[in-house]
Amino acid sequence: MADSSVEIIEGCRLPVLRKNQENEDEWPLAEILSVKELPGRKLYYVHYIDFNKRLDEWVTPDRLDMKKLQFPKKEAKTPPKNGLPGSRPGSPERDVRKSLDLSVQSASAPSRGKTLPTPKRKAESVSLASQVSAVTPVSSLPSSADESQASVFPALRDSSFSITPREEHQPLAALTTNGSTRRLIPPQPGRKRKTCGGTDEDSQDSSDGIPSAPRMTGSLVSDRSHDDIVTRMKNIDCIELGRHRLKPWYFSPYPQELTGLPILYLCEYCLKYLKSLKCLQRHLTKCNLRHPPGNEIYRKGTISFFEIDGRKNKAYSQNLCLLAKCFLDHKTLYYDTDPFLFYVMTEYDSKGFHIVGYFSKEKESTEDYNVACILTLPPYQRRGYGKLLIEFSYELSKVEGKTGTPEKPLSDLGLLSYRSYWTQTILEILMNLKPDNGERPQITINEISEITSVKKEDVISTLQYLNLINYYKGQYILTLSEDIVEGHERAMQKRHLRIDPKCLHFTPKDWSKRGKW
């Protein structure tokens, strides 16, 4: 459908033909990022608007709908004053000066609510109470989300957990269950149940289903403001890793002389990159590794985990980061791997230990991060390995005696995996609560966090994401519907891969006492 009389340039937007998941034709709007001229034809590299970058691809002219071609808008020659709409972006120097001026002003100005960071305990109270305040008297709200008592009333497979206010110095929320109660709590006439659906500052989901802006902090968060046309395009066509061939999703800064090759070859044991199959075969005769370098700290069946120090095994760690960047877009790549530990999951067979996925973590994290980057390689996805990596990261946190959370922002697939893991882990605890001598067993939000090593903010945000928290008769109620219970049971039946803590041989190190990593 391309019209040869019209020249398509970079920045143009137009509908492009592609197949959706049902293998049906669709014409989403796409932006032309690059044009490549080959003998006798042209190819266009397109990014589908509002689609993930991993779907970007080279397309032929016959897939372009020229009737709806949009040329890129020209920038105004003289930007209007006061930064009104339509003005060009300011120069970096001006932006820096502006941000410095603002930071100086905000530092000298008195505190006005949200201008200064508040302690985390206060943030928790906002996360649960802020949404209820509009419909409930302030006096009935608890002082903190964690410091609210909760009661569990299982009734015909519907379980509810009530939360009552407590004083700030008293213990945290208690979830209680009454085994003798077998009735549903009927809603009172004329009284509507009020739901509490606030969000916490670490959550990526808002109460109305619209993702909130991700927090751009952390050690490996990508600075999206410096994206250019080069890093927006995939530069590697194919990677051969052992018995698998992988199609990269994103740009990765491999040496430029290797980006034009049809296939990039990687040694699956040391992850060294080579330009040809012959070079790989010659390398394998000299490479003595049959497993990742470092200490094997877990083995059960064919699954093993290796702990790799980014300082002691720098070459391997850098090669791992290069490979991971092909499939991770939200994190930036640092060649300085010294401050990180890498935990590589492998599958064993007669030829050796084959990499399945990995996660990295900071040796010292000031924000309780227990994962910096996490990846399951595409050939092993949708087989339960992602949850196994997440579960292993929390097992390490349990041994360390800490609670942890993944570094934000999470990718779309990472967020799905973590949400699923948090949901299953928390529901497993709530459903296993049993009455104790006729009394309602009690459990606090703190205790859930300590048992699972999941950070309290993630526990609360998961309950809110599942829409389990309701407000009823001056109390917070957690209601487990029959659908949630049945869905959880089905999910747990499919989850065959689990971490066995008895097979973990791990001694945490106190990195703060070491002069150098």
Side-chain angles (χ1 to χ4, degrees):
M1 297 181 67
D3 186 357
S4 57
S5 62
V6 179
E7 184 181 2
I8 301 175
I9 59 174
E10 295 172 3
C12 286
R13 294 189 175 196
L14 73 171
V16 177
L17 176 65
R18 70 179 295 273
K19 297 284 186 182
N20 60 18
Q21 291 181 339
E22 287 76 31
N23 204 31
E24 299 170 346
D25 290 349
E26 61 179 7
W27 293 85
L29 185 66
E31 179 183 354
I32 305 293
L33 297 185
S34 182
V35 182
K36 182 164 63 176
E37 293 205 26
L38 298 176
R41 62 172 182 159
K42 280 186 178 181
L43 291 178
Y44 302 91
Y45 192 85
V46 299
H47 166 65
Y48 299 103
I49 308 300
D50 296 330
F51 284 69
N52 192 284
K53 278 169 58 177
R54 62 175 169 267
L55 300 176
D56 296 1
E57 59 180 338
W58 290 98
V59 300
T60 52
D62 58 319
R63 292 173 58 183
L64 307 179
D65 185 359
M66 296 294 297
K67 295 176 183 176
K68 299 179 181 178
L69 178 64
Q70 306 171 17
F71 285 96
K73 296 178 182 177
K74 294 181 179 178
E75 293 182 349
K77 292 182 181 178
T78 55
K81 294 181 181 178
N82 302 326
L84 295 175
S87 63
R88 291 184 300 182
S91 68
E93 291 179 5
R94 192 183 300 118
D95 289 344
V96 169
R97 285 199 300 271
K98 238 183 237 182
S99 63
L100 286 174
D101 292 342
L102 287 173
S103 63
V104 169
Q105 288 174 12
S106 62
S108 60
S111 174
R112 297 181 183 175
K114 295 182 182 177
T115 55
L116 294 176
T118 57
K120 290 193 176 180
R121 182 169 291 279
K122 302 247 173 145
E124 291 161 12
S125 66
V126 171
S127 68
L128 278 176
S130 58
Q131 297 294 323
V132 189
S133 58
V135 292
T136 317
V138 176
S139 59
S140 66
L141 293 177
S143 59
S144 172
D146 297 326
E147 298 168 357
S148 317
Q149 176 122 12
S151 304
V152 184
F153 301 98
L156 302 179
R157 302 293 297 277
D158 272 27
S159 305
S160 14
F161 308 73
S162 69
I163 307 176
T164 58
R166 293 181 71 87
E167 295 299 326
E168 194 159 330
H169 62 273
Q170 288 182 336
L172 290 176
L175 303 178
T176 64
T177 182
N178 184 353
S180 60
T181 304
R182 307 302 298 171
R183 61 183 179 81
L184 288 167
I185 303 176
Q188 289 187 351
R191 181 170 183 127
K192 192 175 181 182
R193 270 193 186 179
K194 300 159 188 170
T195 59
C196 173
T199 59
D200 66 282
E201 62 183 2
D202 285 343
S203 172
Q204 290 196 319
D205 297 286
S206 58
S207 56
D208 56 2
I210 302 172
S212 57
R215 258 186 343 131
M216 301 305 286
T217 60
S219 59
L220 290 178
V221 174
S222 174
D223 182 2
R224 311 306 304 212
S225 62
H226 298 302
D227 275 3
D228 56 26
I229 199 67
V230 175
T231 59
R232 288 180 68 188
M233 294 172 54
K234 302 171 197 172
N235 58 336
I236 305 291
D237 288 333
C238 182
I239 291 176
E240 183 170 305
L241 180 68
R243 59 180 180 270
H244 300 292
R245 283 195 174 177
L246 317 177
K247 281 279 188 184
W249 296 350
Y250 307 110
F251 171 88
S252 183
Y254 278 103
Q256 193 163 358
E257 60 269 20
L258 302 178
T259 58
L261 300 173
I263 299 175
L264 179 64
Y265 295 88
L266 264 63
C267 170
E268 65 175 325
Y269 302 113
C270 70
L271 301 183
K272 182 177 179 179
Y273 44 85
L274 302 119
K275 63 181 181 180
S276 68
L277 181 60
K278 190 171 184 180
C279 291
L280 175 64
Q281 291 169 343
R282 188 163 61 244
H283 165 79
L284 289 174
T285 61
K286 297 180 286 183
C287 183
N288 297 322
L289 284 177
R290 286 300 174 265
H291 59 76
N295 300 324
E296 185 180 9
I297 60 174
Y298 179 91
R299 182 188 292 186
K300 184 176 182 182
T302 59
I303 300 295
S304 292
F305 279 86
F306 290 81
E307 182 184 54
I308 295 149
D309 190 325
R311 182 181 69 86
K312 294 178 180 176
N313 303 103
K314 189 169 288 193
Y316 181 90
S317 301
Q318 290 177 350
N319 289 337
L320 179 59
C321 288
L322 285 170
L323 173 62
K325 186 64 184 70
C326 291
F327 306 100
L328 294 173
D329 186 39
H330 284 70
K331 309 287 185 181
T332 188
L333 181 76
Y334 276 85
Y335 286 98
D336 180 18
T337 58
D338 289 16
F340 294 93
L341 294 169
F342 297 84
Y343 295 90
V344 178
M345 178 169 64
T346 63
E347 207 172 41
Y348 175 76
D349 64 14
S350 57
K351 294 183 178 179
F353 294 80
H354 309 282
I355 181 170
V356 171
Y358 90 104
F359 68 88
S360 59
K361 64 185 288 188
E362 293 176 278
K363 293 174 179 175
E364 290 184 275
S365 175
T366 56
E367 301 189 56
D368 295 330
Y369 290 138
N370 64 353
V371 166
C373 292
I374 184 167
L375 171 70
T376 305
L377 291 174
Y380 298 96
Q381 289 177 359
R382 303 186 66 82
R383 290 165 58 180
Y385 290 115
K387 276 200 187 68
L388 201 66
L389 281 167
I390 295 172
E391 187 178 2
F392 189 78
S393 70
Y394 282 109
E395 285 298 329
L396 296 183
S397 295
K398 290 176 187 178
V399 176
E400 293 169 348
K402 301 176 182 177
T403 59
T405 187
E407 193 173 297
K408 312 297 189 301
L410 292 166
S411 66
D412 53 349
L413 297 179
L415 181 59
L416 286 173
S417 297
Y418 267 95
R419 281 289 180 207
S420 178
Y421 173 80
W422 289 333
T423 298
Q424 292 178 11
T425 303
I426 294 169
L427 288 180
E428 195 171 24
I429 290 175
L430 298 182
M431 290 174 60
N432 287 336
L433 290 174
K434 297 189 184 335
D436 184 17
N437 297 327
E439 296 285 329
R440 298 173 181 173
Q442 295 191 349
I443 188 169
T444 65
I445 297 290
N446 259 350
E447 287 171 349
I448 293 176
S449 182
E450 288 169 7
I451 293 169
T452 61
S453 281
V454 176
K455 208 171 181 182
K456 287 185 291 184
E457 289 87 347
D458 295 330
V459 173
I460 296 170
S461 71
T462 302
L463 295 174
Q464 292 170 342
Y465 175 78
L466 295 170
N467 203 23
L468 298 183
I469 304 178
N470 299 307
Y471 193 71
Y472 181 72
K473 287 189 177 180
Q475 295 180 329
Y476 289 107
I477 309 289
L478 300 185
T479 307
L480 297 183
S481 66
E482 188 172 343
D483 290 341
I484 289 178
V485 172
E486 289 179 353
H488 172 71
E489 289 174 349
R490 284 196 303 269
M492 296 307 289
Q493 287 172 2
K494 295 178 184 176
R495 192 170 161 188
H496 304 298
L497 294 173
R498 298 297 296 268
I499 294 295
D500 184 354
K502 297 175 184 176
C503 299
L504 176 63
H505 304 283
F506 170 71
T507 304
K509 300 179 180 69
D510 188 357
W511 298 99
S512 62
K513 293 182 179 177
R514 295 173 177 239
K516 187 179 179 183
W517 291 314

